[in-house]
Amino acid sequence: MSLRNFFVLHRTGKIYFAKNFHGEPLDQGLVVGFSSSISNFSRTLLGEEIREVVSVKGRILYREFGDFVFVAHSDLQAGSALIQGILKDVGSMCEFLFGSPDHWDEDFFDLKGAQDIIASYFGKLTQDPGAVVHGVNQIFLELDICERLDKLLAFFESQEGVCGNGTMLILGSSVLYSRLGLHETRMVLQYHKARGLGYNSVRFTPVYCHGAWQNLYLIRLQSYVLAVMAYIDRPFRALQSKVEEFRISFIQSRLEIPSEEPPVLLRLFAKRETLAMLYHNIKSGCTIFPQLRPGPDVQQKEILTSFWGFFSEASASLRVPGVTEFSTTRDQYRFYARSEGVHKLYILMAADSVSSEVVPSIASDVLRNIRTFTPER
């Protein structure tokens, strides 16, 4: 399962960005002509925009942002819900880095300079579902530790030039604690995963949040990364002494927090009949996609391909008003999805290990284990 090609087109027919990820690249001139023709046909005949075109071996998906159209070409195994979710997130990241789509132009909208960030979305379609469901990987801490971290960060935000609710701590590829909103937390984390600090101690970039430009500083603190949103006219040297004070307070607080990102294992939530699972809390953004159990690469690839194929079907079904469950059996797999309040759960099981009658109770057990593992902050 893979994305093959990605394009960013302007309504005038100009290609702003083109990237081939897998297989043969598509002819750019034909992409423009085909996309323009079918879009005009759909608007004229149906009075609406086109979202997807399916061929025998692949699909082309469209998503509009102002006067720009993002186009993704994938194989049929990559479901529509999967690719559309990523296209939406790529658009959000472009707005985060380049401002409102209304102001994107040839001089400023330089996607070639951000192609490493764009590639990070499509490079791990099946391993990192945060972009698909619009969630974040979190490290779960005791409530008293969260409260102490919140006080430390809130005091740092009281310094002149730092935005209120404008800080977060990152460990590895997960959020340790964040005072940012969910959308901003997701954008900062994705940016950090795509463009880590490496051997640098500080990285700075202007970002667009809440209708205004701000400075985003990523600062290394031993094993952790402190993300700070500051006013656009606030240079880092004006914050440097306060960052050092926070570092000292953070270390001296001796909080019982991990110094390495802990692995998320499937056995923490489900028994052996569960081959793969995805949990998403639509309120907090918490996303859990445990590592698959050890096995041959071919087997794990097949499990992931099957899971995401079923996921697309389940997502479409759960969007229908009143539908809260989805269940299907195909080949050697059983797939079950449930929407329960803010909780969404998707699980893939071996058909020869469980009967269809016990699947809902297995899902209930998994949800109960997740609630135990993820205390509400």
Side-chain angles (χ1 to χ4, degrees), residues 9-30:
L9 315 178
H10 192 268
R11 286 190 181 276
T12 59
K14 180 178 180 178
I15 292 184
Y16 270 66
F17 183 77
K19 181 75 173 178
N20 171 249
F21 293 98
H22 179 72
E24 290 294 324
L26 296 181
D27 184 280
Q28 296 185 19
L30 292 178

Side-chain angles (χ1 to χ4, degrees), residues 4-214:
R4 297 177 180 176
N5 297 277
F6 174 69
F7 302 89
V8 176
L9 315 178
H10 192 268
R11 286 190 181 276
T12 59
K14 180 178 180 178
I15 292 184
Y16 270 66
F17 183 77
K19 181 75 173 178
N20 171 249
F21 293 98
H22 179 72
E24 290 294 324
L26 296 181
D27 184 280
Q28 296 185 19
L30 292 178
V31 169
V32 173
F34 175 78
S35 299
S36 177
S37 298
I38 197 164
S39 179
N40 291 335
F41 175 80
S42 179
R43 280 197 297 267
T44 302
L45 182 64
L46 305 175
E48 57 188 30
E49 299 296 337
I50 193 75
R51 275 298 186 91
E52 179 179 357
V53 176
V54 181
S55 66
V56 174
K57 296 183 179 180
R59 67 176 87 241
I60 298 177
L61 300 100
Y62 299 87
R63 194 167 192 104
E64 296 187 359
F65 297 90
D67 291 331
F68 290 81
V69 182
F70 287 20
V71 184
H73 170 225
S74 73
D75 56 33
L76 290 177
Q77 291 177 317
S80 299
L82 186 71
I83 302 298
Q84 285 287 0
I86 293 176
L87 285 180
K88 181 179 179 181
D89 227 46
V90 172
S92 296
M93 177 58 73
C94 287
E95 186 168 350
F96 187 65
L97 296 175
F98 301 107
S100 170
D102 297 335
H103 302 293
W104 293 352
D105 57 38
E106 184 174 1
D107 295 329
F108 187 66
F109 192 41
D110 179 21
L111 284 175
K112 291 183 179 179
Q115 60 181 306
D116 57 330
I117 300 173
I118 293 174
S120 71
Y121 277 97
F122 299 113
K124 296 182 178 180
L125 284 180
T126 59
Q127 282 82 27
D128 187 3
V132 179
V133 298
H134 311 304
V136 291
N137 300 328
Q138 297 180 359
I139 295 172
F140 304 103
L141 307 172
E142 297 295 332
L143 291 178
D144 62 323
I145 295 177
C146 291
E147 291 173 357
R148 293 174 65 185
L149 282 174
D150 189 79
K151 290 179 180 178
L152 284 171
L153 290 171
F155 179 76
F156 179 76
E157 289 174 7
S158 67
Q159 311 302 319
E160 183 181 355
V162 180
C163 299
N165 294 321
T167 54
M168 66 182 281
L169 284 165
I170 301 170
L171 178 58
S173 299
S174 298
V175 175
L176 186 70
Y177 190 80
S178 177
R179 284 175 53 83
L180 294 165
L182 175 58
H183 176 73
E184 291 75 28
T185 296
R186 293 184 54 253
M187 293 296 101
V188 172
L189 182 64
Q190 185 64 35
Y191 176 82
H192 172 66
K193 288 193 291 187
R195 194 172 285 179
L197 286 175
Y199 293 106
N200 300 314
S201 57
V202 179
R203 172 166 285 141
F204 145 77
T205 187
V207 295
Y208 189 74
C209 287
H210 306 297
W213 286 99
Q214 300 173 4

